[in-house]
């Protein structure tokens, strides 16, 4: 299957945010390949398309977790474009603490799919998943703080979440998170960078990753 099948025409190049997520979201191989294509343009991508990259990171990290029936039902509904049903299927799982469903609900609220677009609600679900150690949600949360979407703009928090994501990812995915962190670090004071690093260490000391 082509890794751009079902994706918006500009998705593979990461040149703009789109109103659709790729139908290849269930394919970790496709996510890996698209991430490789994005790596060379990471500086622009992190600034302009953080949400798109995060979706791919989520797709990669989610594949290792065993699927639950309601999560699979939500994914099936999403893939046929029934976004409202997807949200309804994912909500019970997310409420029970399923970090995959929490992450996807964050995406749905961020993009306005099946629900009214609400960045603050997206952040709430991303944070629940990020607090469980999901690297995709952590990366996305870093982007939300970096851009002041759903939360007050905060480079210290952005740096912290990018740093935590980078510590849980490997190869190209890690490089993207590291470069996102470094873009933020370049505009921070040494004191703010130190605070962000301290917060990341404290977070790690209190929690164990689920992915």
């Amino acid at each position: 299957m082509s890794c751009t099948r079902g994706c918006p025409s500009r998705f593979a190049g990461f040149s703009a945010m789109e109103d659709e997520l790729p139908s290849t979201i269930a394919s970790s191989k496709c996510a890996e390949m698209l991430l490789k294509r994005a790596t060379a343009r990471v500086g622009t991508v992190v600034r302009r398309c953080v949400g798109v990259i995060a979706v791919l990171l989520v797709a990669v990290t989610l594949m290792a977790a065993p699927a639950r029936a309601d999560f699979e039902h939500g994914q099936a509904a999403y893939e046929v474009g029934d976004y409202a049903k997807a949200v309804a299927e994912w909500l019970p799982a997310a409420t029970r603490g399923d970090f995959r469903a929490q992450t996807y609900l964050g995406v749905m609220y961020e993009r306005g799919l099946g629900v009214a677009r609400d960045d603050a609600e997206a952040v709430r679900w991303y944070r629940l998943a990020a607090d469980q150690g999901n690297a995709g949600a952590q990366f996305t949360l870093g982007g939300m703080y970096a851009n002041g979407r759903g939360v007050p703009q905060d480079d210290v928090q952005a740096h912290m979440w990018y740093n935590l994501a980078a510590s849980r990812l490997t190869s190209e995915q890690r490089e993207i998170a590291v470069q996102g962190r470094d873009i933020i670090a370049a505009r921070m004071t040494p004191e703010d960078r130190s605070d962000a690093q301290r917060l990341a260490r404290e977070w790690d000391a209190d929690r164990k990753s689920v992915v």
Side-chain angles (χ1 to χ4, degrees):
M1 180 177 74
S2 169
C3 286
T4 56
R5 181 182 177 187
C7 301
S9 60
R10 289 181 288 172
F11 185 87
F14 295 94
S15 59
M17 291 286 285
E18 296 290 346
D19 292 332
E20 293 283 341
L21 299 177
S23 63
T24 52
I25 200 163
S27 170
S28 59
K29 284 189 176 181
C30 286
E32 294 272 10
M33 291 180 68
L34 289 170
L35 279 166
K36 288 178 181 179
R37 296 176 193 173
T39 302
R41 300 174 59 190
V42 68
T44 300
V45 167
V46 169
R47 287 190 294 271
R48 296 173 58 198
C49 303
V50 62
V52 174
I53 296 179
V55 167
L56 294 179
L57 291 170
V58 170
V60 173
T61 58
L62 293 187
M63 292 309 106
R68 293 183 181 177
D70 47 6
F71 180 81
E72 289 185 333
H73 292 159
Q75 193 167 31
Y78 173 83
E79 289 174 354
V80 298
D82 192 344
Y83 302 133
K85 182 176 180 181
V87 171
E89 293 286 354
W90 284 328
L91 185 58
T95 302
R96 289 195 302 270
D98 188 318
F99 72 92
R100 301 164 305 161
Q102 291 168 346
T103 303
Y104 273 96
L105 281 179
V107 171
M108 302 302 268
Y109 276 102
E110 183 186 357
R111 309 299 297 281
L113 298 176
V115 291
R117 184 168 180 170
D118 186 335
D119 283 346
E121 188 68 4
V123 166
R124 185 173 80 86
W125 288 112
Y126 284 141
R127 183 181 295 279
L128 288 170
D131 278 340
Q132 295 194 65
N134 179 262
Q138 290 173 340
F139 183 94
T140 312
L141 197 54
M144 300 297 270
Y145 273 107
N147 295 305
R149 295 185 55 199
V151 287
Q153 199 281 333
D154 189 329
D155 284 344
V156 171
Q157 287 289 316
H159 188 287
M160 180 192 80
W161 288 112
Y162 278 140
N163 209 13
L164 289 168
S167 72
R168 286 159 175 76
L169 296 167
T170 59
S171 62
E172 289 87 353
Q173 296 91 341
R174 182 179 185 279
E175 291 175 20
I176 291 172
V178 166
Q179 293 188 48
R181 179 198 65 195
D182 291 349
I183 288 169
I184 299 300
R187 68 192 193 198
M188 297 170 70
T189 65
E191 292 80 9
D192 283 346
R193 286 195 296 272
S194 178
D195 283 346
Q197 291 163 354
R198 174 182 55 79
L199 288 172
R201 289 194 299 271
E202 290 175 353
W203 188 99
D204 263 332
D206 291 338
R207 295 173 176 86
K208 293 176 67 177
S209 177
V210 297
V211 294

